[in-house]
Amino acid sequence: MIKSMTGFGAAKGASGKLEISVEIKSVNNRHFDCSVKIPRIFAQIEEQLKAVAGTYISRGKVDISVFIDSSNADDIEVRANHSLAKEYIMALREIAAENNLSGDIRVADLIRYPDILQVAKREIDADVLGNDIGGILDKALQGFNEMRLREGAKLKDDILIRIEQISKLIELAEEVSPQSVQTYREKLEARMMEILHSSTIDESRILTEVAIFADRVAIDEEIIRLKSHIAQLDELLAQSEPVGRKIDFLLQEINREVNTIGSKGSDPAMSKIVVALKSEIEKIREQAQNIE
C-alpha cells in the first residue's frame, strides 16, 4: 500500500534498570536521511539504530530521539584496591617493627588511606543496550508505519479522484480535436469566399489546406501516450513497494504530453481542456511529493 513520508511513532521499554523512551518522526525528502539523538556516552549504537529504521523506511528525513533515564539504575560500583592495601599493610608493619610499636591494623583505619576504595560506574554492555533500544525502536516504527499507511490511503484516494478527472478531460479532448478541424474548414471557406467575392471556390485547395491543418493539430499520438501513462499511474498506486519517485517521473511525462497538445492549436475549447489538465496534474504532483 501507498505510504506517506510524514509520520510519527513512539514506544517505551527498558534495558536492565535503564528506562528508555524512543520517538521517531519524518518529513518529506528525496532520499533516506536519518539522524539519531542519543546521550553521547551511547553514541556507538547510532548506526545500529539507523539500520533498524532503514528496514522500514526507504526515503524521507527521519529523526530518532532516544531518552534514557538511569535514575533507578544501580550502576555505581565500589572496588577495593587489594594490591595497594597489601602495600599499605606491609609498610605499616615495617614502621611498627622499626619503632617497637604495637597495635592491630584495623580495616577502618586502613580505608582512610588514599585509593584503597575506588568508586566507579559499572560498564554498560553496548551490544545488549543496542539490541534493547533497537527492539523498542522497532515497536515505535510499527506505530510510525501505521500512521504513514493511513496518510498514504488518503493520498491515494485523492490522486485517484484526480486521475478520474484527467481521464474525462482526455476523452473531451478527443471529441474537441475533430471539431477544431471542422471549425477551421468553415472559417477557411468563409475567408476565401470573402477574398474571391465568389460563391464557388477551389474545393481541392480547401481540402489541401484542411489536411495540412489537421496533420498539424492531430493529437492522436499524445492521447494514446496519455492513456498509457494514466494506466501506469493506476498500477503504481496499487503496488506495496515505494513508488514516489516513479510517480514523480510519470507525472513529468504526462505533463510533457499535455504541453504538446497545448502547443498544437489555439482552439479555445482545447486550450481550456489543457489548462484543466495541467491543474489536475499539479494537484497530483503536490500529493505525490508526500509519497514514499
Side-chain angles (χ1 to χ4, degrees):
M1 295 177 66
I2 294 293
K3 293 190 187 79
S4 169
M5 276 192 282
T6 303
F8 176 82
K12 294 182 178 181
S15 179
K17 292 190 176 182
L18 297 176
E19 296 180 2
I20 300 168
S21 298
V22 176
E23 293 181 357
I24 178 169
K25 59 182 179 180
S26 68
V27 294
N28 301 349
N29 198 56
R30 289 182 62 83
H31 308 286
F32 176 62
D33 180 11
C34 183
S35 62
V36 178
K37 296 178 182 177
I38 192 171
R40 186 174 298 177
I41 59 173
F42 306 121
Q44 68 269 30
I45 66 174
E46 281 188 20
E47 294 303 318
Q48 184 176 346
L49 299 182
K50 288 180 182 179
V52 173
T55 61
Y56 283 83
I57 308 164
S58 65
R59 72 175 186 145
K61 177 68 176 69
V62 182
D63 291 314
I64 299 172
S65 299
V66 181
F67 307 96
I68 299 177
D69 182 0
S70 60
S71 58
N72 295 324
D74 53 351
D75 57 347
I76 302 300
E77 183 177 23
V78 179
R79 298 174 182 171
N81 192 330
H82 295 288
S83 59
L84 182 60
K86 288 179 181 179
E87 293 295 328
Y88 275 122
I89 292 170
M90 290 174 59
L92 289 171
R93 285 174 177 171
E94 287 179 6
I95 292 172
E98 186 70 25
N99 296 282
N100 295 317
L101 298 174
S102 61
D104 296 330
I105 301 173
R106 296 178 304 172
V107 173
D109 297 324
L110 189 62
I111 61 174
R112 293 176 183 175
Y113 293 102
D115 300 327
I116 294 295
L117 296 180
Q118 299 175 344
V119 179
K121 298 193 79 170
R122 288 192 178 92
E123 292 185 3
I124 296 175
D125 190 320
D127 291 335
V128 172
L129 180 64
N131 289 335
D132 290 342
I133 295 179
I136 298 168
L137 174 59
D138 193 76
K139 292 179 182 178
L141 283 164
Q142 292 175 25
F144 170 79
N145 254 5
E146 289 174 4
M147 180 177 178
R148 293 202 302 150
L149 283 168
R150 288 194 299 270
E151 292 298 318
K154 294 177 183 178
L155 293 173
K156 179 180 177 180
D157 289 343
D158 186 76
I159 292 174
L160 287 173
I161 291 172
R162 306 297 174 192
I163 288 175
E164 184 178 358
Q165 185 61 25
I166 288 174
S167 296
K168 291 179 180 178
L169 288 168
I170 292 173
E171 291 177 3
L172 186 58
E174 284 186 284
E175 295 175 7
V176 168
S177 182
Q179 293 174 13
S180 65
V181 176
Q182 180 60 31
T183 301
Y184 175 78
R185 176 180 180 133
E186 292 171 358
K187 288 182 178 180
L188 181 61
E189 288 178 345
R191 182 63 176 160
M192 291 183 71
M193 287 179 184
E194 181 182 346
I195 294 173
L196 298 174
H197 303 288
S198 172
S199 59
T200 57
I201 56 176
D202 187 350
E203 183 66 22
S204 63
R205 184 175 179 183
I206 291 289
L207 290 174
T208 300
E209 291 293 334
V210 170
I212 293 172
F213 176 79
D215 184 64
R216 180 164 61 83
V217 300
I219 59 171
D220 295 352
E221 293 183 5
E222 287 76 16
I223 292 295
I224 290 171
R225 285 193 289 267
L226 273 176
K227 288 182 176 180
S228 174
H229 293 332
I230 293 300
Q232 291 177 59
L233 188 54
D234 263 328
E235 291 174 3
L236 287 176
L237 290 171
Q239 294 182 14
S240 57
E241 63 184 38
V243 293
R245 291 179 186 172
K246 293 179 181 179
I247 290 175
D248 185 62
F249 172 76
L250 198 54
L251 288 173
Q252 293 178 39
E253 296 300 308
I254 292 172
N255 196 57
R256 184 177 292 112
E257 299 300 337
V258 172
N259 283 335
T260 302
I261 291 174
S263 68
K264 282 195 170 185
S266 57
D267 181 81
M270 185 64 76
S271 296
K272 186 177 179 180
I273 293 170
V274 167
V275 170
L277 280 168
K278 297 189 76 164
S279 175
E280 295 299 329
I281 293 167
E282 185 57 33
K283 290 173 183 176
I284 294 178
R285 190 192 303 278
E286 290 174 0
Q287 297 291 45
Q289 289 176 352
N290 298 315
I291 295 176
E292 183 182 23

